[in-house]
Amino acid sequence: AQSVTQPDIHITVSEGASLELRCNYSYGATPYLFWYVQSPGQGLQLLLKYFSGDTLVQGIKGFEAEFKRSQSSFNLRKPSVHWSDAAEYFCAVAFYYKLSFGAGTTVTVRA
Amino acid sequence: NAGVTQTPKFRVLKTGQSMTLLCAQDMNHEYMYWYRQDPGMGLRLIHYSVGEGTTAKGEVPDGYNVSRLKKQNFLLGLESAAPSQTSVYFCASSYGALGLAGGTEGSSYNEQFFGPGTRLTVL
């Protein structure tokens, strides 16, 4: 069965520093992968997605993610974090009609 | 274009009461979904629908029922609420099936759009 693991429950990063969020998936076929962001009290917003092709995917808000099939990973990165990036981030893998989500990583940004 | 809307935004129920959550989308999407979000568990799929008049069970369907009588609406019902159903409920919709080929790279064909959520507390 498909599954997603986000090893880091909580990450604290200084404003202006780089950020990397880890995501590992388990899926038998070529995965469709997503990263979503959820600000406090809000719904989920899609940051980026990977279906095929170039393994480095660019998204909104300056985020990018790299798909590594050999490591079953789809890590999210941002070179310089802004205070507004404080949120919860979810990685997800699509299986037919459905998304399976990881448990999420909460990002705190300190001044 | 309102996207995905959910009614109500907040609700408090007593154990044993019933209620219906309404999800509406104006994007002519075929697929609709109901998730629940609990701390440390991400989002878990309750039920989904691949088209008008169809529904199917997700990961955690027990205690919930759904109906999709109109393409734009997807209703989630709790017949007899329990404290374990205290959660934040999200509705989502998509035009295409997420894990199947379709659309063009960069399009939103396979993207799932989420509503703002309903916070439900069962006492």
Side-chain angles (χ1 to χ4, degrees):
Chain A
Q2 73 285 2
S3 66
V4 177
T5 302
Q6 294 181 245
D8 304 304
I9 297 173
H10 191 199
I11 287 179
T12 299
V13 61
S14 297
E15 191 170 14
S18 64
L19 174 68
E20 181 167 12
L21 304 182
R22 296 183 290 163
C23 172
N24 294 99
Y25 67 89
S26 172
Y27 187 64
T30 300
Y32 286 10
L33 295 160
F34 304 79
W35 274 101
Y36 283 87
V37 61
Q38 183 181 31
S39 298
Q42 303 296 312
L44 275 74
Q45 180 182 22
L46 180 69
L47 283 175
L48 46 77
K49 57 189 175 185
Y50 171 79
F51 288 164
S52 65
D54 194 345
T55 57
L56 187 62
V57 181
Q58 302 297 320
I60 62 171
K61 303 186 179 187
F63 285 91
E64 67 178 25
E66 186 172 13
F67 170 62
K68 293 186 177 180
R69 185 186 300 275
S70 61
Q71 298 178 17
S72 296
S73 69
F74 188 54
N75 293 349
L76 181 72
R77 298 193 293 253
K78 185 169 184 178
S80 178
V81 169
H82 186 262
W83 64 266
S84 60
D85 293 322
E88 190 163 17
Y89 292 79
F90 294 95
C91 182
V93 61
F95 178 69
Y96 288 103
Y97 315 117
K98 300 171 285 185
L99 281 178
S100 289
F101 285 85
T105 299
T106 300
V107 173
T108 298
V109 180
R110 60 182 175 218
Chain B
N1 189 336
V4 180
T5 58
Q6 293 182 230
T7 308
K9 289 184 169 51
F10 302 94
R11 185 72 184 267
V12 178
L13 291 178
K14 295 180 180 178
T15 297
Q17 287 185 317
S18 64
M19 78 163 295
T20 300
L21 281 67
L22 170 64
C23 175
Q25 53 93 6
D26 60 1
M27 297 174 282
N28 200 34
H29 284 173
E30 290 292 335
Y31 301 83
M32 297 188 74
Y33 315 80
W34 275 108
Y35 294 89
R36 60 177 290 172
Q37 183 180 29
D38 302 292
M41 303 188 75
L43 278 76
R44 292 180 292 166
L45 183 65
I46 304 171
H47 286 279
Y48 64 100
S49 167
V50 302
E52 181 179 322
T54 74
T55 63
K57 293 180 180 180
E59 299 174 67
V60 288
D62 294 341
Y64 304 96
N65 57 75
V66 288
S67 65
R68 182 107 181 261
L69 299 179
K70 293 182 179 180
K71 186 177 183 179
Q72 64 267 33
N73 295 336
F74 195 28
L75 278 62
L76 177 70
L78 287 73
E79 290 187 347
S80 179
S84 61
Q85 294 177 303
T86 293
S87 187
V88 181
Y89 292 86
F90 286 99
C91 177
S93 69
S94 64
Y95 186 79
L98 300 174
L100 303 178
T104 57
E105 192 68 31
S107 75
S108 62
Y109 181 85
N110 303 84
E111 180 180 339
Q112 214 168 80
F113 292 83
F114 284 82
T118 294
R119 186 173 295 275
L120 175 66
T121 301
V122 182
L123 302 175

